[in-house]
Amino acid sequence: MSVIETVEQLEAIYGVTNDASTVKVADHVTPLYRIFIEKAPFAALATIGPEGIDCSPRGDLPGFVRIHDPKTLMLPDRRGNNRVDSLRNIVRDPRVSLMFLIPGSGNAIRANGRAHLSVDSELLDSFKVDGKAPRSVMVMAVDEIYFQCARAIVRSDLWNPDKRIDPRTLPTPGQILAEMSENKVGGEEYDRIWPARAAATMW
């Protein structure tokens, strides 16, 4: 098997980057990139720590990532499973990346930078939904932001409703937990009560 081992080998295969791939990069949230972020209901958060890298989904009402100023993004940490993998990583290594997706749009917006976690009470209160504040807010200093061309989303036909997979054809969380725990955790009861539990603890 032939393995690429140097940047020079890589560049010999892929050639020179075109202008459209470089001029789109900004070191702050521009007015046009702001529109995308304010309309995005979903983002993937990538972090890194001593154990390796992690990528975690983040979703909320459109515009849930606040643009504090052109160099600063703020992401509230909503209710979850308390693994805090991403947060644990940020405390130890501030490098983070966000990729925003908007249903119906072929473009993804990518932002890279460094972050810290804030538990300032006034900041937490400013992110309340249904009277519930997040337990922390990720404050991200933007180093670069740019759009990813639509090829991946077009190839995947991601937003085509006719291509949606029937969730009944997939393993359920309860089934996965039961298999992994030798039926000590999960199962049909887990799947049955999860929707109501999630609705009650959404924020």
Side-chain angles (χ1 to χ4, degrees):
M1 181 175 67
S2 297
V3 178
I4 298 173
E5 297 180 333
T6 68
V7 173
E8 289 75 19
Q9 290 176 317
L10 186 66
E11 291 176 343
I13 295 170
Y14 284 90
V16 179
T17 304
N18 60 39
D19 290 342
S21 295
T22 55
V23 301
K24 65 184 179 182
V25 181
D27 65 358
H28 64 284
V29 180
T30 67
L32 295 182
Y33 283 142
R34 182 184 190 102
I35 294 171
F36 279 95
I37 294 174
E38 290 180 338
K39 292 183 181 295
F42 179 87
L45 170 64
T47 60
I48 186 168
E51 296 83 11
I53 59 174
D54 184 75
C55 187
S56 177
R58 293 291 190 268
D60 210 326
L61 304 174
F64 70 102
V65 174
R66 179 183 299 169
I67 304 169
H68 178 69
D69 59 50
K71 289 290 289 182
T72 310
L73 299 177
M74 294 180 169
L75 170 63
D77 187 60
R78 300 297 184 194
R79 296 284 293 269
N81 57 20
N82 293 330
R83 282 184 56 109
V84 297
D85 295 314
S86 300
L87 307 186
R88 198 186 312 274
N89 282 348
I90 291 169
V91 168
R92 297 176 294 175
D93 188 324
R95 292 176 291 175
V96 298
S97 182
L98 283 169
M99 184 175 70
F100 298 91
L101 293 176
I102 302 174
S105 172
N107 295 304
I109 303 299
R110 297 168 60 178
N112 301 319
R114 296 175 181 270
H116 67 267
L117 303 179
S118 175
V119 290
D120 178 83
S121 59
E122 291 186 6
L123 180 61
L124 299 181
D125 286 344
S126 74
F127 279 98
K128 281 184 176 179
V129 174
D130 286 351
K132 299 173 183 176
R135 283 181 282 184
S136 67
V137 172
M138 184 189 86
V139 181
M140 175 183 178
V142 176
D143 290 331
E144 62 177 3
I145 183 171
Y146 54 94
F147 74 88
Q148 182 80 33
C149 79
R151 287 189 183 90
I153 292 177
V154 171
R155 282 193 294 259
S156 69
D157 211 7
L158 184 62
W159 307 127
N160 185 346
D162 295 331
K163 298 294 182 69
R164 290 179 181 171
I165 293 177
D166 184 346
R168 293 172 296 182
T169 66
L170 301 173
T172 68
Q175 290 170 338
I176 295 171
L177 289 170
E179 180 183 68
M180 298 295 289
S181 68
E182 297 181 344
N183 293 312
K184 295 175 183 175
V185 180
E188 292 181 5
E189 178 69 3
Y190 180 93
D191 290 328
R192 186 184 66 78
I193 66 176
W194 188 87
R197 186 172 76 246
T201 59
M202 190 62 64
W203 285 282

